[in-house]
Amino acid sequence: MAMWELDEKKYLWLLLAVPVLVLLFLYNLYWKKRRQREFGDASLFRQLAPERSDFKSALKMGVLVLALACIAIGLVNPKIGMKTETVKRQGIDIVFAVDVSKSMLCEDVAPSRLKKARQIVSQVINNLAADRIGIVAYAGSAYQVLPITTDYGVAKMYLESLDYTMVSSQGTSLQDAVQKANDIFKDTDKDVSKLVIMVSDGEDHGEDSDEAIEEATKNGVKIITVGVGTEAGGRIPLRENGGIRFQEDRQGQTVITKRNTASLREIAKATKGGYVDGNNTREVVEYVKKALDNIEKSDFEAQQFTDFASQFQWFLGFGVFLLCLDLLLLEKKTAWIRRLNLFNDKG
């Protein structure tokens, strides 16, 4: 089965010129007809300009519009892949566990802890080569966003959907996050090294941390924790009905959320992983790259589409041909058009 992708999607906006040109042409045609009726009879104008062809005018416009559409599609550069093949890769399995609790809405790091977490994961993915990845979102419970895959494009698309509303129960259940990561790892090769990269503010990990750490260690899962937020902390903005209010506790006091670095360091140390400050994205990327260099890679099979070939030349070539044809076309009637008499004009 043929598969396709678009290389430069931004040029699709040029296709908006097509309906605009058509509307301008129709308006100009309407304006000319109206002006002719104001100054004389239509049959008189046909007698004065017997060689003029409405059909040829429409044909020229059609050719021009089709040419512009072809050039626009050529600039987009559609690519077609005709088959899939199984390739050997060497890497590890990585699950990104992203904290989506309400405390991650805090804006003590720009633009917010949650958006910063998404940026970090996205940049780490950009620097991966052959590793398989999955995504888990967690708060009071955990949710599998994406199973293990080698399709980084799809992973980044799902990453952008992460929001605190996707997990109904609030809090921060590390136990559920690790368990969900383990569930994902169960569907992969046992001999492949496994890593969880947990991005969180470390706040309110609850009493289940020890149990989660023990389970991860038993399954040979290392955890790298990435702390986002500041020690000073900040308020939790909640945007509702076009306005902003701040999270309050049961006593009506504004909640101040702070990053719990100690908790995140403890988790990383217990699983022989590591901790890194997530407020500097570049440092996180470099830290993860070094950590991956020290983890044993395994061979595994992956399906990928091959023979993707650019098709822009066909569209650009046909577009240029149509532009040349448009220049050669005249708005005069040709002999065969006159014989067809499409507009009932014997002129």
Side-chain angles (χ1 to χ4, degrees):
M1 180 180 65
M3 296 294 293
W4 57 276
E5 64 179 22
L6 303 179
D7 196 26
E8 297 289 344
K9 295 181 180 180
K10 60 185 178 182
Y11 290 112
L12 287 174
W13 290 104
L14 294 177
L15 293 176
L16 292 177
V18 171
V20 172
L21 287 175
V22 172
L23 290 175
L24 288 175
F25 172 77
L26 293 176
Y27 176 77
N28 182 61
L29 190 63
Y30 165 76
W31 180 81
K32 285 183 177 180
K33 295 293 184 182
R34 190 180 65 178
R35 298 292 291 178
Q36 287 176 2
R37 287 196 297 268
E38 291 178 358
F39 289 102
D41 185 69
S43 59
L44 179 60
F45 281 100
R46 285 195 293 269
Q47 293 177 11
L48 293 174
E51 297 299 319
R52 187 180 179 281
S53 171
D54 291 334
F55 172 78
K56 293 289 285 291
S57 298
L59 180 62
K60 279 179 63 66
M61 174 53 63
V63 170
L64 177 61
V65 166
L66 186 58
L68 292 178
C70 287
I71 291 174
I73 295 174
L75 293 174
V76 171
N77 187 20
K79 295 181 177 180
I80 297 179
M82 299 304 295
K83 64 181 181 180
T84 62
E85 68 176 10
T86 301
V87 296
K88 291 287 187 180
R89 289 190 174 188
Q90 193 174 64
I92 69 171
D93 290 336
I94 303 172
V95 169
F96 294 96
V98 182
D99 186 351
V100 294
S101 58
K102 281 186 178 180
S103 63
M104 293 292 285
L105 297 177
C106 180
E107 298 175 350
D108 55 349
V109 292
S112 72
R113 293 178 184 177
L114 182 56
K115 291 180 180 178
K116 185 69 172 178
R118 294 202 302 249
Q119 291 174 3
I120 289 170
V121 175
S122 180
Q123 288 301 312
V124 171
I125 291 175
N126 286 343
N127 285 272
L128 298 178
D131 304 292
R132 297 184 296 195
I133 60 176
I135 300 176
V136 166
Y138 72 100
S141 58
Y143 172 75
Q144 177 182 296
V145 178
L146 184 71
I148 287 293
T149 180
T150 55
D151 193 330
Y152 294 167
V154 170
K156 292 175 71 173
M157 180 182 69
Y158 276 94
L159 178 66
E160 289 302 312
S161 69
L162 296 186
D163 187 72
Y164 82 97
T165 57
M166 69 190 311
V167 179
S168 58
S169 56
Q170 286 301 309
T172 311
S173 177
L174 175 63
Q175 171 68 26
D176 284 352
V178 174
Q179 184 59 55
K180 190 62 66 176
N182 282 329
D183 290 344
I184 294 177
F185 287 140
K186 286 178 182 178
D187 297 328
T188 64
D189 300 332
K190 293 182 179 180
D191 297 332
V192 176
S193 299
K194 297 170 176 56
L195 174 68
V196 173
I197 298 179
M198 180 173 291
V199 189
S200 172
D201 54 21
E203 188 176 66
D204 189 26
H205 271 155
E207 300 177 354
D208 57 9
S209 297
D210 292 340
E211 185 179 348
I213 292 171
E214 182 180 347
E215 183 175 358
T217 304
K218 182 176 67 175
N219 289 282
V221 177
K222 291 185 177 181
I223 300 178
I224 291 178
T225 55
V226 181
V228 290
T230 62
E231 306 292 339
R235 298 179 295 177
I236 303 174
L238 301 175
R239 290 170 171 79
E240 299 174 352
N241 301 321
I244 300 178
R245 68 178 182 88
F246 294 96
Q247 181 78 22
E248 297 179 349
D249 58 21
R250 294 179 180 178
Q251 288 72 41
Q253 300 297 315
T254 300
V255 173
I256 301 297
T257 173
K258 301 178 181 180
R259 183 179 69 181
N260 188 345
T261 304
S263 172
L264 295 172
R265 287 186 183 276
E266 179 184 350
I267 296 166
K269 182 179 179 180
T271 60
K272 298 181 181 180
Y275 169 82
V276 59
D277 189 324
N279 294 339
N280 187 317
T281 304
R282 181 178 297 178
E283 288 184 8
V284 177
V285 173
E286 291 300 320
Y287 183 90
V288 172
K289 286 173 64 177
K290 291 179 180 179
L292 292 178
D293 289 340
N294 295 323
I295 297 178
E296 183 181 356
K297 307 296 189 299
S298 303
D299 291 326
F300 54 82
E301 294 182 347
Q303 295 286 331
Q304 72 176 23
F305 287 98
T306 58
D307 293 342
F308 274 94
S310 296
Q311 307 296 321
F312 71 93
Q313 63 273 15
W314 302 103
F315 293 95
L316 290 181
F318 191 54
V320 171
F321 167 76
L322 290 174
L323 286 178
C324 295
L325 181 62
D326 181 72
L327 294 175
L328 296 175
L329 285 174
L330 301 177
E331 295 189 4
K332 293 182 179 180
K333 294 180 180 179
T334 54
W336 66 273
I337 292 293
R338 191 180 297 113
R339 288 194 297 269
L340 289 175
N341 195 26
L342 294 175
F343 296 94
N344 195 28
D345 178 13
K346 299 292 185 182

